[in-house]
C-alpha cells in the first residue's frame, strides 16, 4: 500500500495494490468488502445507545505521517520492559526487544505479518475492523516463544498527535504453547480530531498464560472504534483488562472465546467518564469447549455529562459442558446529567453450566457515605472515598500492579482527592 | 463540660412517626442508658441524632452546648463531638479504617501522624486482631469484630458524646467486657455516653448513671441504675401501653397493669421500618 495522498477518507478513491505481497492481497480483499458495507446505525442492537450516526468519515485523512513520541501519560513509569513498541500517527517509531523469547514483526512483506493478521479475526466483526484490515499501515505481530516465561511487560504505545487523521492500529499476539507474558497497550493522544480503529488479535496456545492490559487516554475529540478478539486454547489462561478515561466516543468491542477444553478467560475493565465522553463496551464471552471458565467484571463511573454503555453476552455452545461463566457490570452515576446503561445477556445451549450475570447503575451508596461522615469525614470527601474504594477493590489485584496504582492515583485526582494523604 | 440536650424530639421514618417527643440530657462523664422493647424507637433515636438519611426529625431539637445539631450535616455533627457506634456497621469496600480515621482527624484540624499506632494500641486493648485493620472497613468482619472495630474508632477519635446503638449485640462476654471497660475508662476522661441496649449485661461493665425506658417513641420512666436490674427480672410489661392507648397515641400510664399479651409484643407494632 502506498501512503500517497489518500484524502478525504473515501474508500472509492483508495487504491491498494493486490500484487506485491501476501499482506497486500489481504488488504485488497478487505477493501473490496469494506466498499460493499455501509456505516452502522444506532438502530442496530450492537450500536444501540451510541451516537454512531454522527460519525462523519469525510473529516478524516488517511496516511501515516509519523512524528515524535510525546507524553506517555499513565504508562510513562513503565521503563523496565521486555520489549517496547511505539507507533506515532500510524508509523512505527520504536521497536526495541530486550528479551530473546519475544519476536516482533512489523514489515508488511514479512510472512509472519501476512499470516498473523486476520488469524483470529477471520471475519471482521464490523466495518471498522474491516477498514483496519484494509488500511492498517503499522501492524505489529508479537510472538512469545514456546515454553518461555517473559517476566517483564511488553509495552506498546500508540500515540496520536496529528489532527483530522484516521488510522488503524493492529496488534497480533501469539502466545505459543506453555508460554507466559504480560502485554501493556496504551492509546494516548493530544487534543486532536482523530478517528482511531484498533484491532487486537490474541491467540493463546495450549497452557499459555497471557495478561493483556489496555489503557485508553484519548483526547475529547477522538472517536475510537476498537475491537479485541481472543482465542484461548486448551488449558490456557488469558486475562484482558481495560482502563478507559477519555475519548469523545470511545468504543471497545471485546470478544473472548474459550476454544480449547479447560480454557479460562478473565475480562476486566475500569472506566471513568467525565465531561462529554461516551465510553461504550460490548463484550462477548463465547464458550466453545467443555471445562471452560470466564469471569467478567466491569466497574465504571460517569461524572459531568458523560455516558457509559455496557452490553454483554455470554454464549455457551451445545458441546460446552462443565462451564462456569460470570458477568458483572457496576456503574456509579456521579452527577445528575451523567448517564449509564447496562444490559447483560445469556445464551445457554448446554445444561451443565454455572452462569450468573449482574448489573447495576446507581448513585454512591448512601449508607457507605453516612458511615464515613459519621466519623467526621466531610460529605464530598466521603463520597470521593467511596468511589475510590469501588475501584480500589479491582485495581488492588490488577495484572500490572504499578498500572493499578497509577490508575487509582488518576481516579483520586479526578475525585479531587489528590491533596488527601491516603 | 459538654452537654447534649434532646428536647421534644419527634421523628419519622418512611413517613411513619416513630419518636413522639423525647427529652434527654447527657453531660460529660455521664452514662445514660436507653432501654426498651423492640420497635420502641431506640435505633431511630440514635440515627436521627446522627443524621442518617431517611430519618427525619419533625419536631423538637437536639443541641450540643447550645449549638443546634439537627441543621448540620452528619460530618459536622461528628466534628462537634458526636460519635455513633452503629448497630450494624456498614461495609465500605476499598476504604481502609486507617484512611478513614486519618481523614476524620485531619479534617478536624488534628494531626493524624500517630493514627496507625493509636489504632493498633486500641485494637490490642480490646482484643481486635490487628490484621483486620488492613482490611476494608467492616468487610468480611464478624458481628463481634465489627463492634470492636467501632469501639477502637471511638477510642481513637475521642468524641465528647458517644451514642452506642446496641454495642453489646453480637459480642461474647469477653469482648463485651473489653469494649465496655474501654468506654467506661473514657468516661473518666469526660466522655458522655448515650447507651442503647436491650440487656443489663452491658451496664455491668459500663455502669449507667441514669436508665431511661423508651416505649412507643416516648421515655416513660427514668431512674437510677436499679431500674435496669428490675427490667432484667421483670421485663417491660408494666411499661407497655394497652391497645387503646397505643392507637390514640396517648401517653402511657406508668406503673399500670399491662393488658398486652406477649404475642402482641412479638408483632412489634412500632417496628422501625429502616432497621
Amino acid at each position: 500500500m502506498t501512503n500517497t495522498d489518500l484524502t478525504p477518507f473515501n474508500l472509492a478513491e483508495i487504491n491498494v495494490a493486490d500484487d506485491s505481497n501476501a499482506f497486500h492481497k489481504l488488504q485488497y480483499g478487505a477493501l473490496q468488502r469494506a466498499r460493499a458495507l455501509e456505516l452502522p446505525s444506532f438502530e442496530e442492537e450492537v450500536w444501540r445507545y451510541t451516537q454512531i450516526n454522527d460519525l462523519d468519515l469525510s473529516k478524516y485523512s488517511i496516511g501515516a505521517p509519523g512524528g515524535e513520541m510525546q507524553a506517555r501519560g499513565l504508562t510513562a513509569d513503565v521503563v523496565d520492559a521486555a520489549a517496547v513498541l511505539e507507533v506515532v500517527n500510524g508509523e512505527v517509531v520504536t521497536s526495541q526487544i530486550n528479551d530473546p523469547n519475544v519476536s516482533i514483526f512489523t514489515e508488511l512483506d514479512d510472512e509472519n505479518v501476512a499470516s498473523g493478521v486476520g488469524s483470529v479475526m477471520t471475519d471482521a466483526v464490523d466495518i471498522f475492523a474491516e477498514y483496519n484490515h484494509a488500511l492498517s499501515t503499522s501492524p505489529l505481530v508479537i510472538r512469545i516463544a514456546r515454553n518461555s516465561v517473559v517476566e517483564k511487560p511488553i509495552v506498546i504505545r500508540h500515540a496520536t498527535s496529528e489532527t483530522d487523521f484516521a488510522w488503524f492500529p493492529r496488534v497480533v499476539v501469539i502466545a505459543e504453547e506453555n508460554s507466559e507474558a504480560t502485554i501493556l497497550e496504551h492509546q494516548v493522544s493530544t487534543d486532536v480530531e482523530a478517528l482511531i480503529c484498533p484491532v487486537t488479535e490474541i491467540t493463546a496456545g495450549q497452557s499459555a498464560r497471557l495478561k493483556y492490559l489496555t489503557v485508553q487516554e484519548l483526547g475529547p475529540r477522538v472517536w475510537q472504534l476498537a475491537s479485541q478478539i481472543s482465542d484461548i486454547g486448551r488449558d490456557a489462561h488469558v486475562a484482558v483488562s481495560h482502563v478507559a478515561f477519555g475519548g469523545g466516543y470511545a468504543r471497545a468491542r471485546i470478544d473472548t472465546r474459550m476454544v480449547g477444553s479447560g480454557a479460562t478467560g478473565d475480562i476486566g475493565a475500569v472506566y471513568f467518564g467525565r465531561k462529554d465522553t461516551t465510553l461504550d463496551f460490548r463484550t462477548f464471552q463465547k464458550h466453545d469447549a467443555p471445562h471452560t471458565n470466564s469471569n467478567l467484571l466491569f466497574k465504571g463511573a460517569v461524572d459531568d455529562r458523560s455516558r457509559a454503555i455496557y452490553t454483554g453476552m455470554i454464549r455457551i455452545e451445545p458441546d460446552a459442558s462443565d462451564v462456569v461463566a460470570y458477568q458483572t457490570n457496576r456503574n456509579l452515576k456521579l452527577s445528575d446529567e451523567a448517564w449509564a446503561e447496562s444490559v447483560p445477556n445469556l445464551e445457554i445451549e448446554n445444561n451443565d453450566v454455572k452462569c450468573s450475570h449482574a448489573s447495576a447503575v446507581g448513585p454512591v451508596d448512601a449508607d457507605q457515605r453516612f458511615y464515613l461522615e459519621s466519623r467526621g469525614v466531610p460529605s464530598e470527601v466521603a463520597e470521593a472515598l467511596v468511589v475510590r474504594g469501588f475501584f480500589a477493590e479491582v485495581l488492588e489485584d490488577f495484572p500490572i500492579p504499578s498500572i493499578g496504582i497509577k490508575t487509582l492515583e488518576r481516579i483520586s485526582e479526578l475525585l479531587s482527592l489528590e491533596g488527601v494523604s491516603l | 463540660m459538654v452537654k447534649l440536650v434532646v428536647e421534644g424530639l419527634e421523628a419519622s421514618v418512611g413517613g411513619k412517626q416513630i419518636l413522639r417527643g423525647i427529652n434527654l440530657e447527657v453531660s460529660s462523664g455521664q452514662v445514660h442508658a436507653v432501654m426498651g422493647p423492640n420497635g420502641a424507637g431506640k435505633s431511630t433515636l440514635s440515627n436521627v441524632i446522627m443524621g442518617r438519611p431517611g430519618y427525619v426529625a419533625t419536631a423538637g431539637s437536639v443541641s450540643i452546648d447550645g449549638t443546634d445539631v439537627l441543621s448540620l450535616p452528619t460530618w459536622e455533627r461528628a466534628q462537634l463531638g458526636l460519635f455513633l457506634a452503629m448497630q450494624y456497621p456498614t461495609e465500605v469496600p476499598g476504604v481502609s479504617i486507617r484512611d478513614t480515621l486519618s481523614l476524620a482527624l485531619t479534617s478536624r484540624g488534628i494531626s493524624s501522624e500517630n493514627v496507625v499506632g493509636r489504632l493498633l494500641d486500641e485494637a490490642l486493648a480490646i482484643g481486635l486482631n490487628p490484621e483486620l485493620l488492613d482490611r476494608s472497613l467492616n468487610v468480611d468482619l464478624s458481628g463481634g469484630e465489627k463492634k470492636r472495630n467501632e469501639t477502637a474508632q471511638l477510642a481513637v477519635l475521642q468524641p465528647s458524646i458517644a451514642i452506642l446503638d446496641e454495642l453489646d449485640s453480637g459480642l461474647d462476654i469477653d469482648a463485651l467486657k473489653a469494649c465496655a471497660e474501654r468506654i467506661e475508662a473514657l468516661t473518666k476522661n469526660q466522655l458522655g455516653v448515650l447507651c442503647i441496649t436491650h440487656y443489663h449485661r452491658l451496664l455491668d461493665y459500663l455502669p449507667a448513671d441514669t436508665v431511661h425506658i423508651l416505649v412507643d417513641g416516648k421515655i416513660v420512666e427514668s431512674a437510677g441504675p436499679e431500674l435496669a436490674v428490675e427490667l432484667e427480672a421483670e421485663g417491660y410489661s408494666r411499661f407497655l401501653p394497652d391497645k387503646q392507648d397505643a392507637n390514640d397515641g396517648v401517653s402511657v400510664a406508668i406503673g399500670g397493669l399491662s393488658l398486652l399479651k406477649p404475642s402482641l409484643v412479638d408483632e412489634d407494632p412500632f417496628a422501625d421500618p429502616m432497621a
Side-chain angles (χ1 to χ4, degrees), chain A residues 367-368 370-379 381 385-386 389-390 392-393 420 422, chain B residues 52 75 78-79 83-84 86 91 93-95 99-100 103-104 107-108 137-138 150 153:
Chain A
D367 283 333
Q368 294 182 8
F370 173 71
Y371 186 88
L372 298 179
E373 281 196 55
S374 77
R375 310 293 122 141
V377 178
S379 312
V381 181
L385 273 182
V386 172
F390 170 80
E393 225 191 356
V420 174
L422 293 172
Chain B
R52 184 188 281 272
W75 64 273
Q79 296 202 354
F83 181 92
L84 171 62
M86 294 191 192
E91 297 190 1
V95 179
D99 287 348
T100 305
L103 283 168
S107 49
R108 284 168 168 88
L137 273 169
N138 299 316
E150 295 288 277
Q153 291 183 51

Side-chain angles (χ1 to χ4, degrees), chain B residues 8-259:
Chain B
L9 182 64
E10 298 181 17
S12 63
V13 181
K16 183 181 172 190
Q17 187 170 11
I18 305 292
L19 300 184
R20 301 168 189 272
I22 302 283
N23 296 297
L24 267 179
E25 287 189 15
V26 181
S27 296
S28 296
Q30 293 181 341
V31 175
H32 287 246
V34 175
M35 304 180 78
N38 284 331
K42 301 189 302 297
S43 281
T44 298
L45 176 63
S46 62
N47 283 321
V48 81
I49 292 175
M50 208 62 208
R52 184 188 281 272
Y55 291 77
V56 184
T58 51
S61 69
V62 179
S63 64
I64 288 186
D65 288 351
T67 303
D68 174 33
V69 162
L70 295 176
S71 63
L72 299 175
T74 293
W75 64 273
E76 287 188 37
R77 301 181 194 198
Q79 296 202 354
L80 202 59
L82 276 176
F83 181 92
L84 171 62
M86 294 191 192
Q87 184 181 9
Y88 305 111
T90 312
E91 297 190 1
V92 191
V95 179
S96 72
I97 175 175
R98 186 181 53 240
D99 287 348
T100 305
L101 291 190
S102 293
L103 283 168
L105 289 171
T106 51
S107 49
R108 284 168 168 88
I110 299 169
S111 167
S112 65
E113 206 177 329
N114 202 18
V115 71
V116 176
R118 286 171 60 198
L119 196 52
L120 185 62
D121 290 345
E122 295 297 345
L124 293 171
I126 57 169
L128 177 65
N129 182 349
E131 285 176 20
L132 301 180
L133 299 176
D134 295 328
R135 289 213 195 145
S136 295
L137 273 169
N138 299 316
V139 174
D140 296 332
L141 263 54
S142 71
E145 286 165 347
K146 285 179 183 171
K147 296 305 178 73
R148 286 191 238 216
N149 188 351
E150 295 288 277
T151 305
Q153 291 183 51
L154 189 166
V156 170
L157 290 175
Q158 306 245 330
S160 18
I161 304 286
I163 305 165
L164 314 177
D165 191 357
E166 300 201 17
L167 183 75
D168 48 335
S169 66
L171 285 179
D172 62 38
I173 191 66
D174 291 338
L176 174 80
K177 190 165 179 282
C179 290
E181 286 178 349
R182 180 68 190 100
I183 294 168
E184 210 270 332
L186 291 169
T187 64
K188 300 284 180 275
N189 201 16
Q190 295 304 301
L191 174 70
V193 174
L194 183 61
C195 174
I196 286 163
T197 183
H198 271 291
Y199 305 108
H200 182 262
R201 62 175 193 142
L202 175 61
L203 305 178
D204 289 342
Y205 307 102
L206 180 62
D209 301 291
T210 309
V211 175
H212 307 273
I213 308 301
L214 184 66
V215 175
D216 186 21
K218 287 191 165 187
I219 290 174
V220 295
E221 186 161 322
S222 300
E226 68 285 354
L227 182 54
V229 179
E230 178 200 327
L231 279 172
E232 193 95 331
E234 296 171 19
Y236 293 104
S237 57
R238 80 173 169 95
F239 302 106
L240 294 176
D242 66 41
K243 233 176 164 183
Q244 187 64 42
D245 283 347
N247 288 339
D248 290 351
V250 173
S251 65
V252 183
I254 298 167
L257 277 173
S258 170
L259 301 174

Side-chain angles (χ1 to χ4, degrees), chain A residues 260-404:
Chain A
S261 175
T264 299
D266 291 328
I267 309 106
V270 163
Y271 50 95
F272 197 117
R274 62 208 170 96
K275 296 179 182 169
D276 296 291
T277 290
T278 297
L279 298 166
D280 179 8
F281 294 98
R282 311 283 168 157
T283 68
F284 297 83
Q285 292 156 264
K286 191 162 178 289
H287 290 258
D288 292 327
H291 316 298
T292 50
N293 294 278
S294 70
N295 189 4
L296 179 143
L297 176 60
F298 276 39
K299 282 188 144 187
V302 280
D303 203 354
D304 303 325
R305 299 162 303 279
S306 66
R307 306 164 80 241
I309 302 155
Y310 171 82
T311 70
M313 170 68 79
I314 295 176
R315 164 127 191 119
I316 300 182
E317 297 297 339
D319 292 342
S321 57
D322 182 27
V323 162
V324 179
Y326 299 117
Q327 185 187 58
T328 304
N329 173 229
R330 300 201 185 283
N331 296 281
L332 290 179
K333 193 172 165 302
L334 304 182
S335 83
D336 289 341
E337 291 173 279
W339 178 92
E341 183 67 61
S342 181
V343 186
N345 282 295
L346 299 174
E347 273 181 14
I348 302 174
E349 302 282 341
N350 188 296
N351 291 326
D352 180 17
V353 300
K354 197 157 88 183
C355 265
S356 79
H357 61 184
S359 81
V361 177
V364 169
D365 186 281
D367 283 333
Q368 294 182 8
R369 194 177 51 206
F370 173 71
Y371 186 88
L372 298 179
E373 281 196 55
S374 77
R375 310 293 122 141
V377 178
S379 312
E380 284 176 20
V381 181
E383 170 145 337
L385 273 182
V386 172
V387 177
R388 186 185 180 279
F390 170 80
F391 288 114
E393 225 191 356
V394 183
L395 291 168
E396 277 161 6
D397 290 322
F398 227 47
I400 302 176
S402 67
I403 297 297

Side-chain angles (χ1 to χ4, degrees), chain A residues 16-319:
Chain A
V16 173
D18 70 339
D19 54 352
S20 48
N21 62 41
F23 184 72
H24 286 162
K25 284 196 171 70
L26 280 174
Q27 290 201 312
Y28 183 79
L31 187 62
Q32 302 309 315
R33 290 192 296 276
R35 279 184 174 136
L37 293 171
E38 288 186 4
L39 281 176
S41 159
F42 62 79
E43 289 163 14
E44 296 169 46
E45 182 58 30
V46 77
W47 293 94
R48 210 172 147 206
Y49 314 112
T50 70
Q51 55 263 56
I52 192 65
N53 292 36
D54 297 341
L55 177 62
D56 176 9
L57 293 183
S58 70
K59 281 195 342 202
Y60 306 103
S61 307
I62 293 175
E68 298 231 336
M69 190 74 209
Q70 294 168 8
R72 290 182 172 82
L74 210 120
T75 69
D77 294 343
V78 184
V79 286
D80 200 11
V84 177
L85 287 155
E86 292 183 330
V87 185
V88 179
N89 299 315
E91 186 181 66
V92 180
V93 299
T94 308
S95 175
Q96 178 196 325
I97 301 176
N98 306 319
D99 187 314
N101 292 309
V102 178
S103 312
I104 293 172
F105 308 96
T106 60
E107 299 300 324
L108 298 187
D109 56 3
D110 191 299
E111 167 53 26
N112 287 284
V113 172
S115 64
V117 171
S119 59
V120 184
M121 195 181 287
T122 47
D123 296 310
V125 293
D126 56 35
I127 188 173
F128 302 101
E130 200 73 270
Y131 286 160
N132 183 294
H133 218 135
L135 301 168
S136 182
T137 53
S138 52
L140 309 171
V141 176
I142 301 168
R143 259 182 194 285
I144 316 297
R146 193 165 169 263
N147 296 329
S148 70
V149 174
V150 176
E151 285 181 8
K152 292 171 186 167
I154 297 164
V155 180
I156 305 165
R157 293 190 183 91
H158 293 291
T160 304
S161 54
E162 286 284 328
T163 198
D164 301 326
F165 176 75
W167 70 290
F168 307 89
R170 168 81 66 156
V171 176
V172 179
V173 177
I174 300 148
E176 295 181 354
E177 182 177 351
N178 192 33
S179 66
E180 181 167 324
T182 300
I183 299 181
L184 170 62
E185 184 183 7
H186 191 187
Q187 282 283 355
V188 65
S189 87
T190 53
D191 181 13
V192 290
E193 291 272 0
L195 169 66
I196 305 175
C197 307
V199 172
T200 306
E201 299 179 82
I202 295 167
T203 306
Q206 180 167 341
S207 297
R209 287 91 55 202
L210 182 72
K211 294 174 184 170
Y212 197 102
L213 172 59
T214 306
V215 178
Q216 186 268 94
E217 289 184 281
L218 294 169
R221 293 181 294 156
V222 174
W223 285 74
Q224 177 194 265
L225 295 141
S227 38
Q228 177 190 63
I229 186 162
S230 306
D231 274 356
I232 309 176
R234 187 185 177 91
D235 299 330
H237 185 173
V238 171
V240 296
S241 309
H242 293 256
V243 173
F245 283 113
Y249 169 75
R251 173 187 174 94
R253 174 182 164 132
I254 300 156
D255 288 72
T256 309
R257 306 192 297 208
M258 279 47 73
V259 296
S261 175
T264 299
D266 291 328
I267 309 106
V270 163
Y271 50 95
F272 197 117
R274 62 208 170 96
K275 296 179 182 169
D276 296 291
T277 290
T278 297
L279 298 166
D280 179 8
F281 294 98
R282 311 283 168 157
T283 68
F284 297 83
Q285 292 156 264
K286 191 162 178 289
H287 290 258
D288 292 327
H291 316 298
T292 50
N293 294 278
S294 70
N295 189 4
L296 179 143
L297 176 60
F298 276 39
K299 282 188 144 187
V302 280
D303 203 354
D304 303 325
R305 299 162 303 279
S306 66
R307 306 164 80 241
I309 302 155
Y310 171 82
T311 70
M313 170 68 79
I314 295 176
R315 164 127 191 119
I316 300 182
E317 297 297 339
D319 292 342

